[in-house]
Amino acid sequence: AEEKLILEKLSQKAGELSHKRHAAAAALAHSVEGELADLRMAGARFMVDLRREPQPAGLVVDVDVNNVQRVAFNENGVDQVEFFIAPNPGEGFKPLVKIASGGETSRLMLALKNVLARADSIPTLVFDEVDANVGGEIGIVVGEMMAAIAKNHQVLCVTHLPQVAAQATCHLAV
């Protein structure tokens, strides 16, 4: 009986968390797309895919009278999260891990960190060659974005681009 009560409460909390994630996913996608436009990827679209895996012994979440489905869960909830991107206009969404080039991945990671840095309280952010496979004007934008992040966080950056290094207030040569 105690286990049943705990699972019911867990199901309720997992459902609440999932609803919040869906709302946050839409806002994150919109914000990241805005950052990508600044990084010369104006036509790129970004999506956070949240899905649930059926599991017979799982939690019952979002009970519908006509459809009761049990889903897998772990310490992070019931949602399986994957990032998708359509880097060019007219392309469909594909998993980020399978299609992004080195430069696209670098810019996407910077866009994500820039958006997330506005909401988190992590004091130090480390960028390890986030500017890989970019240069010229994009390098300038990358440096400016990192300088903006550094207004509220300590930023440590490994870079080979003078456009990025020029935005720093302190340099360490290794």
Side-chain angles (χ1 to χ4, degrees):
E2 184 179 350
E3 180 182 17
K4 182 180 177 187
L5 288 174
I6 291 171
L7 287 173
E8 287 174 3
K9 186 173 182 177
L10 184 60
S11 293
Q12 176 194 1
K13 294 292 184 185
E16 291 170 7
L17 177 60
S18 184
H19 285 296
K20 289 178 181 179
R21 279 186 176 144
H22 278 83
L28 177 64
H30 178 74
S31 295
V32 168
E33 286 177 358
E35 297 291 327
L36 289 173
D38 292 343
L39 291 166
R40 309 299 190 265
M41 291 180 69
R45 293 178 300 141
F46 178 78
M47 178 179 74
V48 180
D49 181 46
L50 296 166
R51 63 184 174 283
R52 297 174 180 171
E53 299 293 328
Q55 184 182 57
L59 291 179
V60 176
V61 182
D62 299 330
V63 178
D64 178 355
V65 178
N66 299 321
N67 183 18
V68 175
Q69 182 183 20
R70 293 184 174 273
V71 295
F73 67 97
N74 60 29
E75 67 275 6
N76 298 312
V78 294
D79 300 309
Q80 302 297 314
V81 181
E82 186 172 14
F83 293 151
F84 282 74
I85 189 167
N88 301 304
E91 285 186 54
F93 283 103
K94 295 181 181 128
L96 173 65
V97 297
K98 293 185 179 178
I99 67 153
S101 70
E104 289 169 343
T105 301
S106 296
R107 288 183 273 170
L108 182 60
M109 289 309 299
L110 179 58
L112 273 168
K113 281 194 172 192
N114 198 20
V115 170
L116 295 175
R118 296 178 202 147
D120 68 30
S121 59
I122 296 172
T124 303
L125 297 171
V126 178
F127 293 90
D128 185 7
E129 297 187 24
V130 73
D131 53 9
N133 300 310
V134 301
E137 289 183 30
I138 296 173
I140 294 169
V141 175
V142 168
E144 290 170 348
M145 279 191 169
M146 292 179 65
I149 294 171
K151 290 180 180 177
N152 297 308
H153 303 272
Q154 177 182 24
V155 173
L156 301 175
C157 174
V158 176
T159 184
H160 298 285
L161 278 182
Q163 298 94 320
V164 173
Q167 297 293 327
T169 57
C170 177
H171 294 92
L172 302 172
V174 180

